[in-house]
Amino acid sequence: MVITKDTKISEVIRVCPEASEVFSRYGMGCFMCMAASAETVEEGALMHDISVSDLLAELNSICPSQE
């Protein structure tokens, strides 16, 4: 799975639990709230004034692509 701006935060955490550390480092505690099931990576990043491209690069670097 390649994580994109449209991937739901809850899906990222489901396939790559280590991603919670990345979200936490960026100050995004949202991965633990109810909104995470409906919120995309892009929506979360924009709400926290975080670069979407930087966040995606880091998430994809630690979460192996699963074919």
Side-chain angles (χ1 to χ4, degrees):
M1 167 186 178
V2 174
I3 301 167
T4 70
K5 65 182 180 128
D6 297 317
T7 306
K8 303 286 188 209
I9 293 172
S10 59
E11 180 69 4
V12 174
I13 298 298
R14 186 183 71 74
V15 299
C16 182
E18 302 83 14
S20 62
E21 296 172 19
V22 175
F23 288 122
S24 290
R25 234 183 358 267
Y26 279 93
M28 295 174 66
C30 56
F31 69 89
M32 297 180 349
C33 75
M34 293 300 291
S37 63
E39 191 171 89
T40 66
V41 171
E42 180 180 45
E43 291 167 336
L46 292 174
M47 286 178 36
H48 293 279
D49 198 29
I50 296 165
S51 164
V52 177
S53 59
D54 289 349
L55 180 57
L56 286 171
E58 190 163 350
L59 289 170
N60 280 301
S61 75
I62 67 158
C63 299
S65 179
Q66 299 175 4
E67 315 248 345

